[in-house]
Structures are given as structure tokens and as C-alpha cells.
Amino acid sequence: MIKMLTACTREIDYVDAAVDELLAQLDLGRNQLKNSVGIVHCTEDFLDSGVVKALKGKLTFDLVGCTSNGTAARGEFGQLLLTLSVLTSDDVCFAAGISGEVGGDAAGAVKELYGRIEAELAEKPKLLMPFTPFSPLVGGDEFVAEMDKASGGAAIFGTRAYGTTIDFTNFYTIYNGQYSTDKLVIVAFGGNIVPEFLVAYVSENRVFKQKAIITAADKNVLHKVNNMSAIDYFISLGIIEKGDMRGLITMPVLLGLNDGTPVLMRTAFSPADREGSILFCGETPVGATLGVAIMDADDVVSSAENILREALEKAQGRSLLIYSCAARSFALGAESDAELKKIVECMDGRPESYQVTYSGGEICPVFNKEGKMFNRFNNNILIICIL
Amino acid sequence: MANTQQSPPQLTTLEELEAENANLRVEIKRLNRQIKSMNFTMEQNKNAYVARSRVSATVLAEKSRQEKYLNLLLENSPDTIILLDRNGCFAYCTAAFLNLLNVSNFGLIDGAKFTEVFNDFGGTDFSKRVGCTLKRALESRKTIRDEETIDVDGKGSRRIYAIHITPMFDEANTFDGTMVLFHDTTDAVLAKRQAEDANSAKSRFLASMSHEIRTPMNAIIGMSDLMRVDNLDNLQQRYFADIKKMAKALLQIINDILDFSKIEAGKLELIPADFHLAELYDNICSMSKFTANAKELEFSSSIDASLPAAVYGDAVRFRQIFTNITNNAIKYTRKGSVSLALRRHAQGGREYIEFSVKDTGIGIKQEDMPKLFEVFSQLDLKKNKGIVGTGLGLSITKNLVSMMGGELKVESEYGKGSVFTVLLPLIEGDPDNIDRSNELARVMAKDDATVLVVDDNHINITVALGLLATHNISGNAADSGEQAIEKVKGKQYDIVFMDHMMPGMDGIEATKRIRGIKGEFYKRLPIIALTANAVTGARDTFIESGMNDFISKPIEPAQLNSVLAKWLPPEKIMFVNDTVKPTADAAQDVCDDGAALAFLDNAMLIDKLETLNDACFYGIDGNAAKMAAQLEDSVDDERIGGYFQEISRFVRELEYEKATEKIAEVLAILKKEQQKM
């Protein structure tokens, strides 16, 4: 059984005050159990100011996490907020580590890191919790595939780093006070843990009826749809214009893999070349059916509320780790905190502890009709792990 | 004036200044972070706004495009589509309906109750009916289909419409209106009627042809069966035998053509019943052996002992299939052998009767195999010159096998021989159900059996009376439906043989009228259809019209025997252990007691004279002679005794015309006396 202690602070500049605030909320002396790991999410401001490093200095356990553009815990929510969840348990053990610079070699980085943490755990992990870098060279799918291979199919639940810079730089993974734009961090869980997973997709009635086939792609780069360039296809739908892809990033792209598994959600990122290809936040397999949806604020908030209520029925007092795609927040418009606010409202008065964070890519197991598990990297969804 | 504004604290020390500076720097950092955060949010909002605007524009454009196509679809739909709201008022209709109503604009009927509009469209009754259908559709929550014929322009041009009424429900499953679809099916209905008429015409043609062809064949075969041959010399007997053989061959060809026509028209029906398979096979083997030996061919046959004694199937068609294939084998084999085999065969989980014929005949070229079952074709014409045939046999056989769910296979080597194998589904029969009526002993009627033959064709009457005479029956005749009714009213017959197709009142109508005569007797009177109409469904038609049974022309003596045994009163018949001999000689064998008749009153005398008249008219020698002699001996009346002597003389001298004249004279006297009484 895992207990989740949560803390949060908005104090960025006065490091000691921030750390004191956090420690006071945790009351580790009274609450900490045999094994612990801390998960921290914040903007890069907290890293730059030294709050995270100072915090690690006061903790006796590993501190992992990544930057984000919004987080919530303990009744507080917002962009300029640091949330900390300390997972502590007597019968679940944790092993955390950080890789070297990934560069373009996800396989090498994963293999090496996994080897270390498995050795530390001294057993095959039941759950891996990765915090992957927002790398232009390695997509989330690749990290997931390598972790899947290395672990022999353990459940993988985690997130990709995100942040608040408009140019998608300065998105960091965090490990024990260090932070990097190109290093993978993983926490492995062993022992008495039976996690449960839930996923909120876009509502079906928000999906455009036009469906197409991906006819050419190369990992994250979508070249052709229905044998026309990707950009031309989306222009033909009327949702972008020539030379202006704005808006597409806010529209979930749904890929049907025709293998009995749930739909794969993607976010279009930017033009990839001059030939009309588009860079996506995850792989776009050739042969998949492609559909486009529109999400507005109501969709985002209601889907979050619905999936959370479903999770709470299952949780029965257990703790919740929640990641919601940053792209969902784009649809909220001026009320950019509406989703976090709704989650906080729903959790008000509940016994379950929670930490919810915006994500640059959601990693979560999904199940086919036969109940077989597939670890997947998605965008534009909300994922929940009941610990 | 006092300075009310509070002035900032005076920072006097460096530390205080540095602390303040640090605070300000922190504050600036905070503000910068806020600005950065706001910029980030604004940028996100811009993206989202652009997306929403574009999508809205796209959705609107798409909606507009769909609406345009929907409008095009509806406006050009030939069908009438009407949407009624939940109150039954017009909410929408297609232009097709407006055109029918001769209304220029939907606005003129928008919101109008459907009853108002439909009253104008199809009348108040039509409107009421639609209302009832609407109600049924709503209650059942399903589409209800109906059909209406509507005089759309009020000038008598009636069109037939299929009407579909569908209740509509919203997401909350609440009734939200009704869709009414009118689909003009007039052309389809008319086309269907034309097709049905054509089909009926085909059936009538088949019936007519069957009748027209079989009627003279009935006469030829019937009379040749009745004809005496003991007074012919050897050459004349041989010629006569050839005439009979060719007549039967011609009948077979006619039957083949009729069968082929029936198959083409889909009118051939299988009539399965229990029958003895081995007996049928034996019969075929016997006939085939005879034919094969006549060509100096060796013949052999075998039968699988595991086959059941009785099987269920159409024995006539089984025989036809086996005979066709066997005859073909014998026909196309010049030397060597023909062997038949009947086996049990299992295939695909089913049991079959396997009939195979192997011959050492001319064989079939591989390239000719596809043509083997084509109609009117004979293969290898040069080599087979002189072999006669219609070219229908194998085609008919294949069709029959297919209808029975069987299979026909051919293996052949040109110049060496062929094996034809037929698989027919094996369905075990019940031996107790086998119809043995054709194995009955010969029926001979006692003198008081009365039979009426009704046929507009005198030759057919002659044949029928002749065949009845072989059973010691002196039948009466009527040559029309009307005459039949008169005769039946005047005399209580034991059986009436009724021809089907007669000019004026046909046999079916005559039967219905007879059944309608008051009295239980007429309901129970056995009426047997005597018909050349051998098409599918004919039997059912006869039975439904009130007839009891039927026999087909040409009359098979065995079938006539079976009918007489079944329908004549048992006390008026006896059975003779003899084969059914369809000759007039047979009439002489039995019951020819020549005894004088008992006392005859006027009515009985009239009856006897009329019967004698028929026998003379139709040339039934044996009956005529016997009855004339009996009457001469029995009538002891000075007034009319002389007539009977003359009649008897004329009959003995075969001067039937003079005999019938005399009969007419004495009948006139007797009937006049009858009237006075």
C-alpha cells in the first residue's frame, strides 16, 4: 500500500521559505514510511531559483519529476506553483535513476538506466514511472517501446516534460536537484502494488466525420494522408491555411490502428519540411486511419470530471497521480486553469491524495477487448494512475 | 496645508537600501514571471482562437454544403417525402408532393393538418386510412407500410403508391413527428402484372398444347389398343404392330417436348411417393436387355443388396432418368456391351442412390463434353448419322437430376466408351405406403354399373367407351358440360368421367354445377377428370373444383382399372385374375351371359335404348350387339317389338346409322307415352 503525502508552494524566490513551507506540509517525521520517493512538478522558475535543489537537500529519498505549465495538489492549482507528492510505503519499494544524455539513442539510454534501477530494486518492477525529455530527436513512442522491451512488459505510467516557453525549449526532467533537457528519469516500483489506470479521450461526437488513411510517414513525421501531403490534407479539411498552421496544435488527431486497441491520440506540432510534412508529438503509423476532433473548454472540463469520478469510484481511498495533456489546456482559452480548478473542486473533501500536472506527452497502459495490456504514448488525453 | 500623503520611509542605511533593492529585484522577477506566464497563456489562446474560428468556418461551410446537397436530394427525389410534426401538421415536404398537389409553394401548406391536405390529395377515405396507419406506426414505434391507389389529378389517372410511415423520436426517446414516404410503384406493379400474365399465358399455352397434342394421341393409341388383330394376316399384324410402336414413340417425343417446355417455364413438378426401387430397376433392366439383345449387345446389370426395398421419390421421374441414360447408351453402342449398376453411395455426409451405365460405345470427345447436355444437339453428327432423337433427353435428365438435388457425371473416352453416373438422394420409404393400384386384378363390372363419359371429342368418347367395355361397362356419353348435367339429373350414375377442356362450359364448371344440384347424391357422385392437360397444378385444380380423382389421356388401361376399382361401388364389381387386356375381346370373356333382361318399365327401357344408342353411335360393337340382343329378347310389346328386331338386325350387320335412326323412332314413342303418364 502506498501513502501519498502532498505539498505545494508558490514561493519561488525565497528558497528557504519555500522549502520550509513544503516540509511543514509533509510532516515527514510523522508520516514517512520505510520506503519513499518524491515527485515534483513545477515551472523552470523553481529550478532556476534553486528551490528544487534546496528541497532535495532536505529529503532523504530520491526526488524525481519534470517541469510543466500547470499543476495542482492539496487544493491549490496554477501555473506558477510547485507541487510535490511523496510516495511512501512499507511494502512497496522504489528505485529511481537518471540516464546520461539521450541524444538520439533512446535504446542505449533506457537499457543502461533500466539495468541500474532494476538492480537497485532487486526484483522485476511492477510499474515504471518515466519522466521523459521533450526531445526533438527521440519521440515518446520510442522511449515507451524501449522501456517495454527492457522491462519485459511492465506497466509504464508517466509523462513527458513540458514547460512555459513558447518555443518548446527549457522543458526539463528533474532528478535529485539536477535538471536536464535531454535526460531520462525513471522510478521503478516493486513489491505490493496493483496500480489501476484510466484514460479520458475526446468525445466521439466531437470528431469530424471525414476519415483518411496515412499513406506515408516516418516515425513522428507525417508525410502523406490519402496520398496528398499532410499539410494539403489538413488544408482540404479547412482547419489550417497555407503557411499558417496555427490552431492545428489545439485539435486532437485520432489514429485508428485497426488492431482492437483504443484510438491513438496525437497532437500536430509544426511543419516538418517544405514538402508539406507535419511533425507530430508522437508516431503516426502508415496505414492508420486518421480523424480530427475539436475540443473546447466544456469538453476538456467535462471529460476530466467524468474520468475523475470514475477513478474515485475505484480508488476507495487510494492516491491518484494525474497527467493531462498540455494541449487540453490550450482549448481552455482565458480560463487556462479551468481543468485544474475542476479537479481540485472534485477532490475537495475527499480522502484520496492527488497530484495533477499538465504533460508534454502521456504515457499509460491501454487494454484491448481481450484485456491485453499495451503500453502507449499518447497526446491530448488525461491519464490517471490509482496507486 | 498639512501634507496628508504618507511619504516613503527614509532609508538611511546601506543595508536597508540593499534589502529594499533585493526586494525590488524579487518583485521584478515575479512581475516578469507573471508577464511570461500571461504571454504564454495569450499565445495558447491565440492558437485556440484561430483553431476555433477556422473550425467554425469549416463547420459552417460543411453544414452549408450538406444542406445544399440535402436540398438537391430532396428537391429532385421522385418520391414524396413529408415530415409531420408531433401534432400531425406539415413541417416539410418535397417538391414532388407539391407538384402532385399542384401547389406552388410549401408555405401554402406549412403548418396545415395532414387531414386537410390529404383530403384534397386522395379524398377523405384516404385521409382516414392514413390517419389509422399513422396511429399504428406510433403505437408500434415502427415503420408501417401500406399501399394506396390514388387518382392524383382527379381525372382518373390512378397511380399506385407504397406508403411508408415512420414515427420519429428524439434523443430522449420522445415522439417528435412522423415521416411519410410515398413511393410510386405503378410501373413496377404493372410490370409485375404483365410478367404474371405472361407466365399465365405460358401456362395456358402449355396446357393447351398438352391438350391439343395428347387428345389425338389418345385416340390413336387408345383405338390401336382396342383394335382386334386376330382377323388380320401376318403382314397386316406386323404393320399394325409398327403403327402402335411408332404411335408410342411419337407419344414419348411429345412427352419429352412437353417436359422440356415445363422445365423451361418452371412448371415441372416432382410428385414424390413411396415406391419399390428394385422393381422399377428390374423393369428397366428387362426392357433394356431386350433392346440391347436386339442389337446383339451383351447386357448385364447388378443391384446393391444394401439398398432399401422402398424409397421415397418421384418414381415416374426416376424411371425417366434411368431409361433416358440407358437408352442413350444402347443407342450409341454399335458393338460390345452395356452394363447397368445400382448402388448405395455416401458423399458429403449424405446417402445417395448411384445409378451407372457403362457402355463400349463411340465415346465422347473431351471438347464435346460441354455440349453434351445442350438441347437439340447431337454430338459427332457424321459418326452418329442415322441415330434418331430429339436431342432433349439428356437435357431433361440433367434438369430432373438437379431438381432432385442429385448429380450427373460423365466419364468417357472417345472410341472406347462412356460411363454415365447419376446420384439421387436416397430417402428410405415405407413399403406399406407403396401404391399397388396398378397391380390390381382386373375389374369387371356387373351389369348394373352405370358410367357417363363426358367429352366434346367423339373419338375420345369412342376410346373411353371402348376401354370401359373391356370392363363390361356400357357407358353413356355426353358431348358437352350442359348435356352432362342433363344426363346426370336424369340418371344416377356410379361414376362420371369428365373431360376438362370443352368449349362453352368446361369440365370444372360442369362439376361445380353438378355438385350444386340439390341432393346428397350429387355431392357424393364420383367425378373423375379425364384430361390431356398434364401440367403442374392441374391435379390440384381438379380436386379443388370438386372432382374426386383424375386420369390423363392417353388413358392407361392400368390406371383406368385402378380408378374403377376405387370408385365403382364394391357391390357392382368383381375382380378377375387376369392381366389388364385392353382389347375389345376382353369384353367377351366375362359376364356375357346374354340372359334376357328382367321386366323393363318405360323408364328403364328408355335408359337401355339410350345406352344402346351411344354404343352404336360410338361403334362399341360388343356392347351394342349384346344390348340389342337382350332388348330384342326382353321386349314383348307388339307396338314396339318390331323396332327391336330391326335394331338388332342392323346392329348385327354393323349398320349403326340405321340402328340409331330406329332407336330414335322408338325413343320418341316411349317418351311420348312417358309424358302422358
Side-chain angles (χ1 to χ4, degrees):
Chain A
M1 167 121 185
I2 294 176
K3 194 159 112 179
M4 181 194 273
L5 313 171
T6 54
C8 58
T9 182
R10 297 186 192 275
E11 183 52 61
I12 299 173
D13 302 294
Y14 295 107
V15 173
D16 292 339
V19 172
D20 288 343
E21 188 181 359
L22 291 167
L23 292 176
Q25 288 168 25
L26 291 174
D27 197 3
L28 289 170
R30 206 154 61 108
N31 296 320
Q32 188 174 349
L33 298 174
K34 189 172 147 200
N35 308 309
S36 303
V37 68
I39 299 173
V40 63
H41 293 295
C42 57
T43 62
E44 67 272 20
D45 306 279
F46 290 86
L47 298 173
D48 293 340
S49 70
V51 167
V52 174
K53 189 174 177 185
L55 173 61
K56 170 57 194 161
K58 298 288 183 185
L59 300 173
T60 57
F61 43 80
D62 287 323
L63 182 66
V64 301
C66 63
T67 54
S68 175
N69 68 315
T71 184
R74 216 182 157 87
E76 297 287 333
F77 60 91
Q79 195 181 100
L80 293 171
L81 177 71
L82 181 150
T83 59
L84 169 67
S85 63
V86 174
L87 306 180
T88 190
S89 172
D90 287 328
D91 55 2
V92 176
C93 44
F94 313 98
I98 186 167
S99 70
E101 301 259 335
V102 173
D105 181 19
V110 167
K111 194 175 171 187
E112 188 275 326
L113 174 58
Y114 178 82
R116 273 193 280 124
I117 58 178
E118 192 191 33
E120 187 184 324
L121 202 63
E123 66 177 84
K124 265 264 184 250
K126 300 244 177 64
L127 172 68
L128 294 181
M129 192 171 289
F131 302 89
T132 72
F134 197 101
S135 166
L137 298 174
V138 179
D141 300 276
E142 213 173 326
F143 279 117
V144 171
E146 293 304 331
M147 283 188 281
D148 202 41
K149 199 162 76 177
S151 68
I156 307 172
F157 180 88
T159 178
R160 189 159 71 163
Y162 200 67
T164 55
T165 48
I166 297 163
D167 59 0
F168 300 99
T169 58
N170 299 344
F171 296 170
Y172 298 102
T173 56
I174 302 166
Y175 175 74
N176 288 344
Q178 306 173 41
Y179 51 97
S180 167
T181 57
D182 194 29
K183 290 184 182 178
L184 171 67
V185 174
I186 299 177
V187 180
F189 293 61
N192 184 21
I193 176 170
V194 185
E196 289 182 69
F197 308 99
L198 294 98
V199 179
Y201 297 95
V202 66
S203 174
E204 267 193 43
N205 61 6
R206 304 298 283 170
V207 181
F208 287 13
K209 69 173 179 355
Q210 292 96 327
K211 296 289 186 291
I213 299 283
I214 295 176
T215 46
D218 183 13
K219 290 193 180 176
N220 289 25
V221 179
L222 178 64
H223 293 304
K224 285 186 193 293
V225 179
N226 283 358
N227 291 321
M228 63 170 86
S229 79
I231 284 182
D232 282 342
Y233 175 71
F234 286 107
I235 289 173
S236 75
L237 292 183
I239 50 182
I240 61 173
E241 289 172 5
K242 211 169 175 65
D244 183 3
M245 250 184 67
R246 278 182 309 159
L248 187 57
I249 198 169
T250 67
M251 299 179 69
V253 172
L254 294 84
L255 305 183
L257 301 182
N258 307 311
D259 61 358
T261 57
V263 68
L264 186 58
M265 303 274 290
R266 286 289 178 253
T267 299
F269 198 50
S270 65
D273 55 34
R274 289 176 190 276
E275 277 79 51
S277 306
I278 297 176
L279 178 68
F280 273 73
C281 290
E283 288 179 3
T284 52
V286 173
T289 53
L290 182 147
V292 181
I294 181 81
M295 268 207 303
D296 62 17
D298 282 341
D299 296 323
V300 171
V301 172
S302 63
S303 62
E305 184 177 3
N306 291 340
I307 201 70
L308 183 59
R309 294 214 184 279
E310 199 181 322
L312 289 172
E313 272 178 33
K314 291 177 192 269
Q316 304 286 323
R318 291 152 69 193
S319 308
L320 307 177
L321 259 178
I322 305 169
Y323 293 105
S324 179
C325 187
R328 287 164 61 92
S329 68
F330 301 164
L332 298 171
E335 301 280 337
S336 57
D337 290 337
E339 187 181 15
L340 296 176
K341 185 177 171 190
K342 174 56 70 177
I343 292 172
V344 163
E345 274 172 15
C346 290
M347 296 305 294
D348 186 30
R350 301 274 321 184
E352 294 87 357
S353 301
Y354 65 96
Q355 182 187 31
V356 54
T357 307
Y358 276 121
S359 158
E362 302 74 65
I363 302 167
C364 183
V366 295
F367 298 86
N368 68 6
K369 286 170 195 164
E370 284 81 44
K372 191 179 167 193
M373 187 187 81
F374 296 82
N375 286 311
R376 229 187 220 174
F377 177 77
N378 263 301
N379 307 117
N380 258 305
I381 60 173
L382 184 148
I383 58 175
I384 299 178
C385 176
I386 304 171
L387 290 167
Chain B
M1 187 187 252
N3 185 355
T4 58
Q5 259 190 323
Q6 272 202 338
S7 41
Q10 296 292 316
L11 301 170
T12 54
T13 66
L14 183 63
E15 291 84 7
E16 285 171 346
L17 278 169
E18 281 175 355
E20 183 62 21
N21 193 30
N23 284 342
L24 286 169
R25 277 204 292 274
V26 165
E27 199 55 38
I28 289 166
K29 274 190 196 170
R30 282 205 172 116
L31 286 168
N32 281 338
R33 282 196 291 266
Q34 297 279 1
I35 292 165
K36 192 181 89 175
S37 173
M38 281 165 58
N39 281 342
F40 182 74
T41 304
M42 275 167 55
E43 196 57 35
Q44 287 180 349
N45 284 346
K46 263 195 244 170
N47 273 321
Y49 172 75
V50 166
R52 271 200 297 279
S53 301
R54 289 222 182 102
V55 164
S56 297
T58 305
V59 165
L60 276 171
E62 178 62 21
K63 192 172 165 215
S64 175
R65 195 175 74 98
Q66 285 187 3
E67 271 177 14
K68 180 182 127 193
Y69 283 126
L70 185 63
N71 285 340
L72 269 176
L73 180 74
L74 292 173
E75 294 316 307
N76 288 287
S77 168
D79 290 334
T80 289
I81 303 172
I82 296 167
L83 295 179
L84 302 173
D85 65 19
R86 56 181 71 140
N87 298 317
C89 298
F90 268 71
Y92 176 80
C93 75
T94 52
F97 185 62
L98 293 177
N99 291 338
L100 285 176
L101 276 183
N102 204 20
V103 164
S104 58
N105 189 282
F106 175 70
L108 295 169
I109 58 170
D110 185 10
K113 211 86 171 107
F114 79 87
T115 40
E116 288 171 35
V117 178
F118 285 169
N119 282 350
D120 288 338
F121 177 55
T124 47
D125 287 342
F126 164 72
S127 180
K128 275 185 197 155
R129 286 195 296 273
V130 170
C132 289
T133 311
L134 271 166
K135 198 169 165 224
R136 278 194 295 137
L138 180 56
E139 281 164 6
S140 68
R141 299 175 79 88
K142 287 192 299 196
T143 300
I144 303 281
R145 190 190 181 282
D146 219 336
E147 195 173 89
E148 287 282 343
T149 303
I150 304 170
D151 181 1
V152 293
D153 59 6
K155 294 175 189 169
S157 59
R158 301 170 75 75
R159 304 290 295 178
I160 304 167
Y161 288 93
I163 303 175
H164 296 252
I165 295 181
T166 306
M168 302 187 294
F169 300 91
D170 62 18
E171 284 148 6
N173 216 18
T174 312
F175 173 61
D176 202 23
T178 314
M179 182 179 76
V180 182
L181 175 79
F182 285 76
H183 178 60
D184 191 334
T185 57
T186 312
D187 294 339
V189 167
L190 289 177
K192 188 182 169 206
R193 283 183 195 158
Q194 279 174 0
E196 283 167 356
D197 288 346
N199 206 27
S200 297
K202 248 195 217 177
S203 298
R204 285 196 301 275
F205 170 76
L206 274 176
S208 176
M209 282 299 107
S210 179
H211 179 266
E212 295 304 323
I213 292 168
R214 283 169 169 268
T215 299
M217 287 310 301
N218 179 53
I220 295 169
I221 291 173
M223 290 202 161
S224 61
D225 279 343
L226 287 170
M227 195 167 145
R228 290 175 67 166
V229 295
D230 55 348
N231 55 348
L232 302 177
D233 64 32
N234 286 345
L235 186 62
Q236 287 169 328
Q237 284 189 21
R238 218 175 62 232
Y239 287 162
F240 182 70
D242 283 344
I243 289 169
K244 280 182 72 168
K245 192 168 125 190
M246 287 299 113
K248 289 196 168 138
L250 180 61
L251 182 65
Q252 183 54 49
I253 290 169
I254 290 162
N255 283 342
D256 272 358
I257 292 170
L258 285 172
D259 272 352
F260 176 72
S261 301
K262 278 188 244 173
I263 288 168
E264 286 283 289
K267 301 278 182 193
L268 190 97
E269 202 179 55
L270 297 174
I271 307 173
D274 297 288
F275 70 93
H276 204 291
L277 177 65
E279 279 180 19
L280 183 148
Y281 178 67
D282 262 344
N283 190 249
I284 291 166
C285 289
S286 302
M287 290 192 305
S288 307
K289 183 176 176 180
F290 182 76
T291 319
N293 289 160
K295 287 181 75 174
E296 292 178 5
L297 298 172
E298 278 177 40
F299 180 88
S300 63
S301 65
S302 64
I303 181 167
D304 187 338
S306 71
L307 280 166
V311 299
Y312 185 76
D314 188 330
V316 169
R317 301 301 175 185
F318 263 68
R319 179 185 294 276
Q320 190 174 3
I321 290 164
F322 292 176
T323 306
N324 267 349
I325 292 182
T326 309
N327 285 351
N328 254 15
I330 295 172
K331 210 186 325 183
Y332 290 99
T333 303
R334 294 204 175 94
K335 59 178 180 177
S337 62
V338 172
S339 52
L340 275 57
L342 194 69
R343 284 187 281 263
R344 198 171 187 136
H345 177 82
Q347 180 177 291
R350 286 197 69 179
E351 291 258 42
Y352 291 88
I353 299 165
E354 182 191 274
F355 174 73
S356 64
V357 178
K358 186 176 174 184
D359 65 59
T360 56
I362 55 176
I364 305 159
K365 290 177 191 166
Q366 284 307 305
E367 60 265 28
D368 285 339
M369 281 290 207
K371 291 188 270 179
L372 188 61
F373 299 103
E374 280 177 10
V375 292
F376 309 125
S377 78
Q378 192 183 48
L379 306 177
D380 212 341
L381 288 169
K382 203 172 165 186
K383 216 167 183 178
N384 291 323
K385 195 177 170 184
I387 297 179
V388 295
T390 57
L392 291 174
L394 276 182
S395 171
I396 292 170
T397 301
K398 189 166 177 9
N399 276 293
L400 287 173
V401 169
S402 176
M403 281 173 71
M404 290 182 182
E407 211 179 309
L408 174 53
K409 297 186 275 197
V410 182
E411 289 162 35
S412 185
E413 199 180 330
Y414 188 62
K416 292 254 173 80
S418 307
V419 179
F420 279 70
T421 307
V422 171
L423 295 178
L424 295 171
L426 169 59
I427 305 169
E428 274 205 48
D430 182 353
D432 293 333
N433 275 353
I434 295 177
D435 179 10
R436 298 277 186 201
S437 57
N438 61 347
E439 297 169 23
L440 285 173
R442 186 135 163 272
V443 170
M444 291 304 286
K446 294 178 184 170
D447 283 344
D448 56 350
T450 53
V451 175
L452 177 66
V453 177
V454 185
D455 200 313
D456 64 304
N457 184 300
H458 286 185
I459 296 177
N460 283 343
I461 292 179
T462 305
V463 170
L465 289 179
L467 287 171
L468 286 170
T470 67
H471 294 276
N472 195 43
I473 296 172
S474 298
N476 289 135
D479 61 10
S480 68
E482 290 89 349
Q483 202 181 65
I485 292 167
E486 287 311 307
K487 292 224 169 178
V488 159
K489 279 182 184 172
K491 184 171 176 177
Q492 291 202 333
Y493 287 97
D494 294 312
I495 290 186
V496 174
F497 285 97
M498 180 76 77
D499 184 27
H500 169 215
M501 286 167 98
M502 293 187 285
M505 186 190 296
D506 69 7
I508 288 175
E509 180 61 29
T511 302
K512 284 180 183 167
R513 296 237 188 142
I514 289 170
R515 294 296 183 217
I517 299 172
K518 205 172 167 188
E520 197 52 37
F521 171 79
Y522 297 100
K523 300 207 179 358
R524 288 185 287 106
L525 169 64
I527 300 177
I528 313 299
L530 186 62
T531 180
N533 180 8
V535 294
T536 301
R539 186 196 174 88
D540 292 338
T541 308
F542 299 138
I543 304 299
E544 278 164 21
S545 70
M547 295 186 180
N548 300 86
D549 207 340
F550 90 106
I551 56 175
S552 51
K553 291 187 274 194
I555 300 172
E556 286 269 322
Q559 201 183 9
L560 176 63
N561 191 66
S562 165
V563 165
L564 291 173
K566 188 173 175 184
W567 295 106
L568 278 175
E571 65 275 14
K572 291 197 180 181
I573 60 172
M574 63 175 109
F575 290 93
V576 175
N577 257 337
D578 194 359
T579 53
V580 177
K581 245 193 295 187
T583 65
D585 298 347
Q588 307 304 324
D589 294 345
V590 196
C591 294
D592 188 13
D593 56 16
L597 298 164
F599 170 73
L600 300 168
D601 62 19
N602 249 25
M604 289 160 78
L605 209 46
I606 289 168
D607 181 49
K608 290 288 178 191
L609 276 168
E610 283 176 341
T611 306
L612 174 58
N613 187 67
D614 286 340
C616 291
F617 184 80
Y618 294 106
I620 313 301
D621 298 347
N623 284 2
K626 186 176 88 175
M627 279 190 283
Q630 283 175 338
L631 284 168
E632 187 186 1
D633 290 342
S634 304
V635 174
D636 197 17
D637 188 324
E638 282 181 6
R639 295 173 301 123
I640 55 175
Y643 282 103
F644 286 100
Q645 286 165 9
E646 280 188 297
I647 290 166
S648 191
R649 179 167 62 81
F650 289 140
V651 167
R652 279 197 303 274
E653 291 168 3
L654 300 182
E655 293 198 65
Y656 289 125
E657 203 172 330
K658 289 180 183 173
T660 54
E661 282 171 9
K662 280 295 163 195
I663 289 168
E665 284 177 30
V666 76
L667 272 174
I669 296 168
L670 288 171
K671 282 179 180 175
K672 203 172 172 186
E673 281 178 8
Q674 188 82 333
Q675 274 173 355
K676 280 182 192 162
M677 286 157 67

